[in-house]
Amino acid sequence: MAAAYDLLAPVGAAAGCRVPVRILGGDRDLVVNNSAHGRTLATLIPDGEFIDLPGLGHMAHHFAAERIAALVCRLSRD
């Protein structure tokens, strides 16, 4: 039998993250509750930020590739 995975373990480790993290979430995401998960996780990471992508759902990278690429480039320069 496979060992049980503790789903909350990564959340507990968030405060120890030492790299900047940007969590992107569409406000029309029906798969992930960004208010309960993305926004909350961003507050637990020392250099975390939640970036709302208005009008987009779960697969935001398919519809906002240029915006997301620009955010990645900006983050890599910071």
Side-chain angles (χ1 to χ4, degrees), residues 1 6 13-14 46 76:
M1 180 196 292
D6 182 359
S76 69

Side-chain angles (χ1 to χ4, degrees), residues 42-58:
T43 66
L44 299 174
I45 298 170
D47 191 8
E49 178 184 352
F50 180 83
I51 299 171
D52 189 38
L53 300 172
L56 297 180
H58 187 67

Side-chain angles (χ1 to χ4, degrees), residues 24-34 56-63:
L24 302 127
D27 65 354
R28 296 194 181 180
D29 192 333
L30 300 177
V31 178
V32 175
N33 181 333
N34 284 309
L56 297 180
H58 187 67
M59 302 295 279
H61 59 285
H62 287 282
F63 305 102

